[in-house]
Amino acid sequence: MSKQRGLWPFVFYFIILIASVAALWGTLQLGEHLVPTTATANTNLSPASFASAFADFQQSVTHHRESTIGRLLLQILVILIAARLMGWLFRKIKQPAVIGEIVAGILLGPSLFGKLSPELFTMLFPQESLPNIQLLSNFGLILFMFAVGMELRLGDIRRQLKGSIVISHAGILLPFVLSLPLSYSIYTQYAAAYTDFTPFALFIGIAMSITAFPVLARIIQESNLQRTHLGKLSLSTAAAGDITAWLMLAAIIAISQSGSILSTGYNLLFLIGYLLVMFGIIRPLFRAAGKVYNNTEVISHGMVGVIIILLLLSSYITELLSMHALFGAFMLGLVMPEDLSFRKIISDKIEDVSLLLFLPLFFVSSGLQTELGLISGVDMWTLLGVFTLIAIVGKVGGTYISARACGQSPKNSIYLGAFMNTRGLMELVVLGIGYEMRILPPAIYTVLVLMTVITTVMTMPMIHLINLINKLRTRRTDRIDVVDKQAGAKVLLSFGRPASGASLLRLTNQLLRRGEAHPNVTALHITTDKDINSIDADKYFNDSFRPIIMEANRLAQPLETDYQVSGNVENTILSKLINERYNLLIVGAGVRLSSDEDDREATTMREQMSRRMGAFSVRTTEALLSIHSMLRDKMEFFIEKAPCSVGIFLSRSFDSPKRILLYLTTREDIRMLPYARTMAENNQGTLHIIISKALQGEKLPLHTGEEIIATLPHSFVGTTEEPDTHPEEGVESKDCHNPSEGYDLMILSYGLWRDTFDHNKALLLSLPSTLILNLK
């Protein structure tokens, strides 16, 4: 009966399929009589008919390729591929990816692509299609400026208010003032036919003065300075400068577009009213919302929809007030609640689309307007050099002088000057507005775009040069003496997932604490996405370190935290071990040995793919999906490269182990005994030891609660052979076929792990929490 029921769905499906085919055939046959007599169907399958059909197919493809949507999709594909490729190349040379994307836009423009292949360039970027790209890029800029506004937190500026306001304003005013004589000297020759002198001079001044906060924030992260006084001061200074610069820009645009002084006054009056509404009504309303809407479960589509409507409304109002739509987007982002969870959720919904899709369109739109051929004579190259020199001297010099006046050290002051010299994307936005308003002529626009690229590219080399000079001035031996005099072991604990950090700290404390003497522990967490913004970085820091900080407080364990952004986790950890002279590295065992169900499934799938595709193909696929660094086994790398001892922890619901098993197979392994003993003493537990036959002659001094339970005939575990039936007196024999059963923690050397457990799935699944030690 059950078998018949199992066949019935297939019979029913077959009947429905036959009936549908029959109905379709019958309808088509009846429809043949409805065809007009003038219509003819070419059913001749001759070679000529095949050729004619293929020609029709080619014509159809060409038609859809040249349609508005077809051409736009092709343009977006080319732009995104070029932007990603150039961004990757610039990362390889230690430059921000955004600079590579800017360069990609210039290369796709008439300066290179248009010169190398004018026919292909015209086919891909015909003049009539450019408004579509500009329209999309402008909409993307609105989203981007909203995200930039959210990155600037007024609370951070208030905490550094005195220094950041003075330093940022000096860094704006000095290059602004220095640019005025230059604007005066070049106006008649280059800009008189385009605009009046006042808007031209004001736009040149603001273009020379701006700092790109988003690019600077990523440089600060990559330099691992975001938690230092210098990093915080740099970000707050850049944030204050950006707010001031955009207020100045709004006023300049209003002046440029107004017909009279009185009209300008009305624009500025309504600007003040707009700002009062934003900060007096909108910001307090959202501040309360930020306390409630702090996770993805409660932030509904309705809430996001309200924010999008307000974003468009704010942009529309500032556009009507002659202050550009981007200013309204920026201000709405600025008044968003400063709760990190709220900003993180909203930025996740908006920023990726604007950064990955729309901004590359803006770069290409800028590149299509940048004609490097305009800089052909000595005069133009000289002008580029003068603009660049004034931009650097004004920004670096103004920031340095003001920072010294505010009591900053010479070292921090020169760092601040180098950081503030970063212009990047924000400068391109300002230049794009000036070009669109026909205030900046094409030649000056091109010069300023190149100045932007030069000053942004030189930021990292300037930082590296300053670092080199400071290293030459620092006596390295002094730093080493301080490290060597510290009491207790110096431990670097590197963790990925927040929960694993707390487990690793608990293990480290139990392994090394002697009474009230705690080890010196630094907890390191690395984010591999180098494109994250400051909101994401702070949110990741809080979420990642919250469990380990709570555990440190519970254990009364002193803890230093270190958060870094790096695309190469292993080399970052290795560099920290070498530079700061740690005694011990503690890391988790990784995804391959994880007890998490998803991790085990990922490992199994990876092994299956490796058997089908080969290891090289699997690694290539994982690299394209950016998951190779998470799946690859890092254990062997740390064992071979680390200049200190290494502990690798395989956690199985680790808490406070009472029964501990220690394997000693060689004389070098005896050095693990004090660690295992300390672990047992700190947990009031028992320590059982299994030794190899080679160590039977060694006299191991045992403490209370410790015993040797078995002697192995060989220096490996899991053998089907019986253990020595005649161990030394007082040594109990035990079957070691499943030796770890019933224990809370197993401690063994890396050599034993590699020879016995590493690829033995049957044993891996039954292991308790395991600490693998490689002592140096």
Side-chain angles (χ1 to χ4, degrees):
M1 187 69 178
S2 60
K3 186 175 181 181
Q4 290 178 348
R5 288 180 179 176
L7 290 175
W8 169 242
F10 296 100
V11 175
F12 177 75
Y13 172 73
F14 183 75
I15 293 172
I16 291 295
L17 185 63
I18 294 297
S20 299
V21 171
L24 176 63
W25 181 82
T27 303
L28 294 178
Q29 289 298 313
L30 292 173
E32 289 292 329
H33 301 289
L34 303 177
V35 179
T37 55
T38 55
T40 57
N42 184 7
T43 57
N44 181 20
L45 299 181
S46 64
S49 65
F50 278 114
S52 175
F54 186 73
D56 292 340
F57 168 73
Q58 284 183 311
Q59 184 178 1
S60 173
V61 170
T62 303
H63 169 73
H64 288 93
R65 186 195 67 195
E66 295 178 353
S67 66
T68 302
I69 185 63
R71 176 172 282 117
L72 183 60
L73 290 173
L74 179 60
Q75 290 170 337
I76 292 175
L77 280 172
V78 172
I79 290 167
L80 292 183
I81 292 172
R84 297 292 290 176
L85 178 60
M86 293 304 297
W88 176 80
L89 288 175
F90 270 69
R91 273 205 197 97
K92 289 296 183 183
I93 59 175
K94 308 298 182 183
Q95 289 291 337
V98 67
I99 299 302
E101 294 174 354
I102 293 173
V103 172
I106 296 175
L107 296 181
L108 284 177
S111 301
L112 182 68
F113 186 31
K115 289 286 192 299
L116 295 178
S117 181
E119 294 181 358
L120 186 59
F121 175 78
T122 303
M123 185 274 292
L124 186 60
F125 297 110
Q127 194 66 32
E128 64 273 12
S129 72
L130 299 186
N132 295 327
I133 298 178
Q134 291 172 350
L135 184 63
L136 284 176
S137 67
N138 285 332
F139 182 74
L141 282 179
I142 290 175
L143 297 179
F144 174 73
M145 290 306 300
F146 173 69
V148 170
M150 285 200 298
E151 285 194 61
L152 307 180
R153 279 160 281 173
L154 296 176
D156 294 341
I157 299 175
R158 280 195 297 267
R159 283 188 284 271
Q160 306 263 359
L161 185 61
K162 181 181 177 181
S164 60
I165 292 293
V166 173
I167 297 171
S168 64
H169 286 184
I172 290 174
L173 293 176
L174 186 58
F176 194 101
V177 171
L178 290 177
S179 70
L180 294 179
L182 179 60
S183 302
Y184 180 80
S185 64
I186 66 173
Y187 171 74
T188 303
Q189 181 177 357
Y190 295 101
Y194 289 85
T195 185
D196 295 333
F197 174 73
T198 298
F200 175 74
L202 293 177
F203 248 96
I204 292 293
I206 199 66
M208 302 290 278
S209 308
I210 205 162
T211 294
F213 179 86
V215 177
L216 174 61
R218 284 151 181 78
I219 291 175
I220 293 290
Q221 289 170 8
E222 293 180 17
S223 302
N224 194 31
L225 294 172
Q226 65 269 31
R227 305 284 157 197
T228 65
H229 168 72
L230 174 61
K232 292 176 181 178
L233 181 60
S234 299
L235 292 176
S236 63
T237 301
D242 263 15
I243 295 172
T244 303
W246 277 95
L247 287 171
M248 292 174 60
L249 182 63
I252 291 170
I253 294 173
I255 294 171
S256 303
Q257 293 189 339
S258 299
S260 64
I261 298 296
L262 185 60
S263 177
T264 301
Y266 277 119
N267 278 329
L268 296 180
L269 181 64
F270 276 98
L271 171 62
I272 294 173
Y274 164 80
L275 293 176
L276 289 176
V277 171
M278 295 298 288
F279 286 94
I281 298 177
I282 302 298
R283 189 164 189 259
L285 286 175
F286 271 108
R287 185 183 300 170
K291 300 298 181 183
V292 178
Y293 296 102
N294 57 3
N295 63 74
T296 53
E297 287 183 300
V298 296
I299 292 189
S300 63
H301 288 291
M303 181 64 177
V304 178
V306 169
I307 293 175
I308 295 296
I309 291 173
L310 286 176
L311 171 60
L312 297 177
L313 178 61
S314 179
S315 301
Y316 181 63
I317 290 173
T318 54
E319 181 71 22
L320 291 181
L321 295 177
S322 302
M323 293 161 193
H324 209 281
L326 297 183
F327 179 72
F330 175 79
M331 294 308 298
L332 184 68
L334 195 63
V335 302
M336 285 290 104
E338 298 192 9
D339 182 86
L340 280 176
S341 297
F342 183 91
R343 291 200 172 197
K344 173 70 167 61
I345 294 168
I346 299 302
S347 67
D348 283 347
K349 293 178 180 294
I350 290 176
E351 190 176 54
D352 283 348
V353 176
S354 64
L355 284 177
L356 299 180
L357 177 60
F358 290 117
L359 277 187
L361 300 182
F362 170 71
F363 295 141
V364 170
S365 178
S366 301
L368 293 174
Q369 298 165 349
T370 304
E371 301 181 30
L372 298 181
L374 295 175
I375 309 180
S376 56
V378 176
D379 291 345
M380 291 302 298
W381 285 107
T382 303
L383 189 61
L384 173 61
V386 172
F387 264 109
T388 305
L389 181 63
I390 290 177
I392 296 170
V393 172
K395 201 69 177 177
V396 177
T399 303
Y400 178 85
I401 294 171
S402 57
R404 294 289 291 131
C406 290
Q408 297 297 318
S409 66
K411 175 183 174 182
N412 282 354
S413 299
I414 192 64
Y415 271 118
L416 278 170
F419 286 140
M420 295 304 112
N421 194 46
T422 304
R423 288 173 174 81
L425 175 58
M426 301 299 290
E427 173 82 347
L428 282 189
V429 173
V430 173
L431 297 179
I433 294 173
Y435 188 86
E436 179 185 330
M437 295 173 60
R438 291 186 58 81
I439 294 174
L440 298 178
I444 300 302
Y445 174 82
T446 301
V447 167
L448 291 175
V449 167
L450 290 182
M451 181 273 291
T452 300
V453 174
I454 293 170
T455 53
T456 307
V457 166
M458 69 183 294
T459 300
M460 287 309 297
M462 283 181 67
I463 298 302
H464 293 321
L465 179 61
I466 296 170
N467 289 339
L468 179 61
I469 294 173
N470 287 329
K471 283 183 179 180
L472 294 176
R473 291 179 177 178
T474 302
R475 294 176 57 191
R476 185 175 178 82
T477 54
D478 292 344
R479 184 179 64 82
I480 293 175
D481 289 342
V482 172
V483 170
D484 290 342
K485 290 177 182 177
Q486 291 181 357
K490 189 177 180 185
V491 183
L492 178 63
L493 185 160
S494 179
F495 69 98
R497 295 168 180 170
S500 66
S503 297
L504 290 174
L505 182 65
R506 196 177 310 125
L507 168 81
T508 304
N509 181 270
Q510 296 173 6
L511 191 69
L512 299 174
R513 175 172 53 82
R514 302 302 299 268
E516 297 300 320
H518 293 266
N520 300 307
V521 182
T522 299
L524 171 65
H525 177 73
I526 301 173
T527 295
T528 57
D529 182 5
K530 302 185 75 172
D531 288 330
I532 63 172
N533 60 32
S534 58
I535 298 172
D536 292 338
D538 287 343
K539 184 68 168 60
Y540 291 153
F541 175 85
N542 289 344
D543 291 346
S544 298
F545 282 96
R546 186 180 295 114
I548 196 171
I549 290 175
M550 292 176 61
E551 184 68 15
N553 293 335
R554 187 184 71 83
L555 298 172
Q557 167 65 55
L559 181 70
E560 293 184 8
T561 59
D562 186 3
Y563 174 72
Q564 298 194 30
V565 177
S566 172
N568 194 317
V569 174
E570 297 98 314
N571 286 336
T572 301
I573 295 174
L574 183 62
S575 177
K576 188 171 180 66
L577 289 173
I578 294 173
N579 293 333
E580 301 183 28
R581 294 173 58 94
Y582 286 91
N583 305 114
L584 177 65
L585 169 67
I586 297 288
V587 294
V591 172
R592 186 174 68 86
L593 301 175
S594 172
S595 59
D596 182 82
E597 184 176 349
D598 290 338
D599 291 342
R600 287 188 174 182
E601 288 184 6
T603 302
T604 301
M605 293 176 183
R606 187 174 191 263
E607 292 172 351
Q608 292 173 349
M609 289 177 61
S610 181
R611 286 193 293 269
R612 294 173 186 172
M613 302 170 57
F616 177 78
S617 299
V618 171
R619 283 195 297 270
T620 303
T621 304
E622 291 171 353
L624 291 174
L625 296 177
S626 301
I627 59 174
H628 181 60
S629 63
M630 293 182 286
L631 293 178
R632 67 172 177 258
D633 189 0
K634 306 176 181 67
M635 186 185 301
E636 186 176 352
F637 176 88
F638 290 129
I639 295 296
E640 293 181 355
K641 304 291 186 180
C644 61
S645 299
V646 178
I648 300 164
F649 186 49
L650 173 61
S651 178
R652 299 282 190 264
S653 302
F654 176 79
D655 186 17
S656 179
K658 301 298 182 183
R659 290 173 53 82
I660 301 170
L661 180 64
L662 172 66
Y663 283 101
L664 302 177
T665 58
T666 66
R667 294 192 64 182
E668 289 76 14
D669 290 352
I670 297 176
R671 293 185 297 159
M672 297 188 298
L673 181 57
Y675 293 93
R677 180 172 290 153
T678 302
M679 175 70 73
E681 291 174 356
N682 284 332
N683 290 289
Q684 293 80 49
T686 59
L687 174 61
H688 291 172
I689 305 171
I690 296 179
I691 63 174
S692 67
K693 196 168 186 179
L695 294 179
Q696 277 188 307
E698 297 289 336
K699 298 297 181 181
L700 299 179
L702 300 181
H703 293 187
T704 304
E706 301 175 356
E707 63 175 321
I708 299 176
I709 59 171
T711 303
L712 298 178
H714 302 289
S715 60
F716 56 86
V717 184
T719 177
T720 55
E721 299 180 47
E722 294 295 323
D724 194 343
T725 54
H726 302 287
E728 291 182 325
E729 186 178 353
V731 177
E732 180 184 351
S733 178
K734 181 178 179 179
D735 186 0
C736 61
H737 184 62
N738 186 13
S740 61
E741 184 177 358
Y743 288 96
D744 303 315
L745 177 68
M746 183 171 70
I747 302 176
L748 72 165
S749 68
Y750 174 70
L752 181 60
W753 170 269
R754 182 191 57 216
D755 295 340
T756 306
F757 291 96
D758 197 9
H759 297 288
N760 192 328
K761 286 189 175 181
L763 283 174
L764 285 175
L765 293 175
S766 62
L767 288 181
S769 293
T770 301
L771 175 62
I772 305 162
L773 286 175
N774 186 70
L775 301 179
K776 293 185 179 179

